[in-house]
Amino acid sequence: MNSSISSSDAGHWRRFVRTFVATAIVVLCGIVAVAYAVDPYDTGRSSLFAKAGVRPQGPRTAAPSRGRDQAFDAAIIGNSHIQLLSPERLKETTGLDFVQLSVPASGPKEQFVIIDWFLRHRQEPAKALVISADESWCGQDPAMPNTKPFPFWLFSANAFDYAKGLVRYDILEEVPRRLGYVFGAKAERARQDGYWNYEPNYLDLGYATDPILRKRLENRPEVDKDMLPSDPVKGKRAFPVATKLQEVVSGMSTDLAVVLVFPPNYKNYLPPPKTIRAYTDQACKAALRAAIEGHPKSTVIDWRVDRDENRDPNLYFDLTHYRLPIAQKVEADVAAALQRLR
């Protein structure tokens, strides 16, 4: 009898488990189907709840919407080292409609994904790309690993990859928020051109006044102590990001203007001469220049050099984040470069 009861109980449990698993799969598929239809980040994959733009949120998840916005024919790509460039000011000087697609703490891997997204969503050919190539572009790893989380699935050209990406807890929160944005008569929209001026944030944190934070500007990276060997050829490095850049640029329209910017650094972050870091920086810049030189409308703007603005501590919050006066000078250089390329 005990054996019979045990066998019966086991059968009940197996049926329960199968029913539970089947129900969970159905519920999960239902959630994904609803999320796909709602399109919480305005990727354009569904038109059932279409409304231009997204609610206010971070640039990682707002970029798909901004990147496919047909109001823009030019884009700024990079991270916080280029995000102070203003689309409005650039339009005044170039006549181009820029969107700021920079994502703080992103690297080349993420930035190439955003470039691809922007270009393949143009109904009319894009006219210009301003691409920031900071020190992260000089890495040695061909995998170009990202140091911070990034929603690659949002930008995927594969619908199944996108659907798999919807299987996450925050989608349960974002779907109702999207519906609130779509149907809310007074729902706030995130800034369309993506511009975010980080100066107020840094000022609030005391980066312009706190003596401890100001003193950090005088600290050099420890790696600057590493001197270059007598035979620099032995220290020769490959730059996989440059290889990827050449591949990407070679597929671009010859009418597209490409401006590669080496963004500004404060003087104490610039590598001292005859160090390994200085050699690597120069070799990296040369590789990146060579990567775009085959494109008929391309140029490089190098602000990662010793110049008056980069010696003024009042123009920097930290070693790599500059203030608006420098940003406006970089904008002027970009505008002049685009004028020449035309």
Side-chain angles (χ1 to χ4, degrees), residues 264-336:
N265 286 169
Y266 185 56
K267 65 179 180 67
N268 286 332
Y269 196 71
L270 297 172
K274 298 183 179 180
T275 60
I276 292 177
R277 187 162 164 256
Y279 175 80
T280 300
D281 185 61
Q282 292 303 313
C284 175
K285 286 180 180 179
L288 292 170
R289 287 177 184 274
I292 67 168
E293 67 181 5
H295 188 73
K297 287 190 175 182
S298 65
T299 191
V300 172
I301 295 173
D302 189 358
W303 266 79
R304 197 161 70 232
V305 292
D306 184 24
R307 53 186 294 167
D308 290 343
E309 296 89 345
N310 293 341
R311 300 189 198 110
D312 187 347
N314 294 316
L315 296 180
Y316 277 84
F317 287 119
D318 61 27
L319 294 170
T320 61
H321 291 92
Y322 46 90
R323 303 191 63 175
L324 280 173
I326 288 183
Q328 291 168 350
K329 289 192 174 186
V330 176
E331 290 167 1
D333 286 351
V334 168

Side-chain angles (χ1 to χ4, degrees), residues 27 47 56 79 85 93 95 141 165 169 179 198 203 238 256-257 262 278 312:
V27 170
S47 60
N79 52 31
L85 269 63
T93 54
D141 190 340
Y169 178 79
L179 292 174
Y198 61 57
L203 292 172
L256 176 66
F262 301 138
D312 187 347

Side-chain angles (χ1 to χ4, degrees), residues 137-177:
W137 282 52
C138 298
Q140 309 295 298
D141 190 340
M144 297 182 288
N146 49 302
T147 59
K148 300 292 183 181
F150 186 80
F152 291 101
W153 59 275
L154 267 179
F155 301 85
S156 176
N158 185 297
F160 183 66
D161 288 341
Y162 171 71
K164 286 194 299 182
L166 292 172
V167 183
R168 59 190 64 239
Y169 178 79
D170 55 1
I171 290 297
L172 297 177
E173 299 176 328
E174 198 58 42
V175 165
R177 290 171 182 165

